[in-house]
Each structure stands twice: as C-alpha cells, then as structure tokens.
C-alpha cells in the first residue's frame, strides 16, 4: 500500500520499504518582491506563510541526505517529510530566504549555477555560501552554464558535471553530493554521466510529491514541486492535489 500524504503516527521514523513514498521536494528560485509575481519569484511574505503552514500542519523538513538514506532503506523518515530546495544560487535566497528558514528551524539545499557566483548583485558569493553551510544548509551543483543537458555531447556534459562539482568542492571544502538538472532536462545518458561524475542523487522539475525508487537510477531523477507565489496552490500541491 502507498502511504497517504498524511502518514499515521505509526509510520513515523520507520524505514522506507516501499518503491513509492510521500516526500515532496519543494523547488524555489527567487525569494523577492516583484511587481508581477510569477513561478520564479515568491515574495518573502508568502514564503514565510508557506513555511509557517508547513510547521502548523505537522510537516517535518528533512535534508537531501535524509531523503537519500531513507530511499536506500538506511534510515527512517518522520511523519509528513518534505525537502526545501533552491535553484540557481541567487542573492535573494540568502538575504530574504535564509532568515525565514532560520526562523522556523528549517534546512534546505541550494543548487548553485557556477557562472552566476559573485556576479554583480545576482549571484551568491563564496562567503555567503559558507554562511549557508554554517547555518546547516546543503550546497549542490546546478552545472556551470545552465545549458540543456539533454542536448549536450559527452565532452560538454562531462565538463558541466565535473567542473561545477570540482569548483564548489575546492572553494567550499566539502563534498558535493547532489545535482539539479538545468531546466529539468535529462536523458538516460545524462543520468549515467551524473552517476559517473560522483553524485549520489539528482533532482528534476517533474511535478510530483511521491518519490519512486523502483530501480537504482531512479535516485538520479527525483521529482520536485515548483512553488508559486500564493497559498492555495501551495497547500494543494504539497499534499499532491491538483498538480499541473
């Protein structure tokens, strides 16, 4: 049987033995005000409301490490687990998003686009990334140039995967274990190369709240829910309702 979006207490902290289990990975880009908000811009006010809703409704925010180990059956998951993730590595994630994450005691994974690092006001600096790590956040790779990986030749693909991993590890002094496909684009070849490059898992933009680990490579195509700047869809989507 597949657990419902609201697992019973008896299912808490038990090992995952199913091929399909409820553990939404939430995807954000900018946490900032914009005159016309869109799916890439969630205002700090709405982001705070969304984080508060998770807390008030019994969700437990876990790390990608937690999800990875649970998917292998190595550890259990709490009741109503969810992962928070950010793509691109932009400054407003740090200035506007991090204080709210800290307010609720949440952890999150930040996938960094390397050609954006320290660029003007747009990209996170190495210092900011180190502060994220000090705040118990996770850093992952989002490639060097954010190009479509489904269209790349092997040489370019290898560069985007390995160079981004190497630069992040060299500058931050940590192991980079997780990868986010730019635009969610991937093929069987890209999945194979991500694994060969030394990543443990990778995330896509497939709009689903259930994780399906039916074969080993499924850990490299984890779905995420792309969050909008409003509460009604957030509440529905986190619970797996009316997903578009």
């Amino acid at each position: 049987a597949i657990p419902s979006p609201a697992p019973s207490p008896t299912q808490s902290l038990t090992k995952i033995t199913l091929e399909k289990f409820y553990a939404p990975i939430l995807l954000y880009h900018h946490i900032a005000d914009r005159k016309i908000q869109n799916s890439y811009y969630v205002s700090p006010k709405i982001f705070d409301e969304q984080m508060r809703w998770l807390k008030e409704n019994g969700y437990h925010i876990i790390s990608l490490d937690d999800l990875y180990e649970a998917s292998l059956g190595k550890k259990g998951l709490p009741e109503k687990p969810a992962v928070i993730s950010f793509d691109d590595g932009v400054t407003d994630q740090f200035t506007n998003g991090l204080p709210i994450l800290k307010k609720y005691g949440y952890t999150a994974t930040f996938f960094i686009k390397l050609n954006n690092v320290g660029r003007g006001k747009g990209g996170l600096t190495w210092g900011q990334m180190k502060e994220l790590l000090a705040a118990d956040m996770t850093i992952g790779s989002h490639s060097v140039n954010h190009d479509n990986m489904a269209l790349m030749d092997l040489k370019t693909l290898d560069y985007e995967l390995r160079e981004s991993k190497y630069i992040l590890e060299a500058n931050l002094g940590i192991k980079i274990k997780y990868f986010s496909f730019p635009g969610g684009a991937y093929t069987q070849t890209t999945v194979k190369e991500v694994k060969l490059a030394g990543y443990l898992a990778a995330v896509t933009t497939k709009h689903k709240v259930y994780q399906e680990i039916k074969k080993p490579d499924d850990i490299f195509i984890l779905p995420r829910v792309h969050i909008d700047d409003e509460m009604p869809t957030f509440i529905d989507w986190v619970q797996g309702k009316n997903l578009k």
Side-chain angles (χ1 to χ4, degrees), residues 26-201:
L26 312 182
L27 166 58
Y28 293 91
H29 286 85
H30 290 275
I31 305 300
D33 289 305
R34 188 171 173 149
K35 288 185 179 179
I36 300 178
Q37 299 292 133
N38 58 44
S39 60
Y40 288 92
Y41 282 81
V42 173
S43 71
K45 178 179 181 295
I46 293 296
F47 183 63
D48 189 289
E49 289 181 17
Q50 291 172 349
M51 298 302 101
R52 184 171 71 249
W53 185 91
L54 292 171
K55 181 77 73 176
E56 292 175 348
N57 286 274
Y59 280 82
H60 294 86
I61 303 305
I62 61 173
S63 68
L64 266 184
D65 280 338
D66 294 328
L67 181 62
Y68 172 75
E69 292 177 13
S71 71
L72 300 181
K74 293 182 176 181
K75 69 178 297 182
L77 287 179
E79 185 179 2
K80 293 187 180 179
V83 175
I84 300 170
S85 69
F86 296 85
D87 276 4
D88 297 343
V90 291
T91 304
D92 56 51
Q93 296 169 358
F94 178 85
T95 55
N96 298 330
L98 181 60
I100 295 170
L101 292 172
K102 286 183 173 180
K103 174 181 176 181
Y104 293 99
Y106 290 163
T107 188
T109 296
F110 294 76
F111 290 103
I112 308 299
K113 179 174 66 167
L114 266 294
N115 70 0
N116 204 36
V117 175
R119 296 287 181 90
K121 297 180 180 179
L124 290 172
T125 65
W126 294 114
Q128 288 171 330
M129 280 185 261
K130 289 176 181 177
E131 287 189 52
L132 289 174
L133 292 171
D136 200 30
M137 305 295 151
T138 299
I139 299 292
S141 170
H142 198 34
S143 81
V144 177
N145 294 300
H146 201 272
D147 293 330
N148 188 329
M149 303 194 103
L151 303 177
M152 288 180 185
D153 58 66
L154 279 175
K155 182 179 179 181
T156 305
L157 184 60
D158 186 67
Y159 169 80
E160 291 287 337
L161 291 168
R162 294 175 185 271
E163 187 71 3
S164 60
K165 190 176 191 296
Y166 170 77
I167 293 173
L168 286 168
E169 290 180 344
N171 282 276
L172 299 175
I174 60 169
K175 290 295 292 182
I176 299 297
K177 297 178 282 189
Y178 305 110
F179 186 80
S180 172
F181 291 105
Y186 67 91
T187 64
Q188 286 185 328
T189 299
T190 57
V191 168
K192 177 183 176 182
E193 293 302 312
V194 168
K195 183 164 52 174
L196 289 174
Y199 295 96
L200 296 182

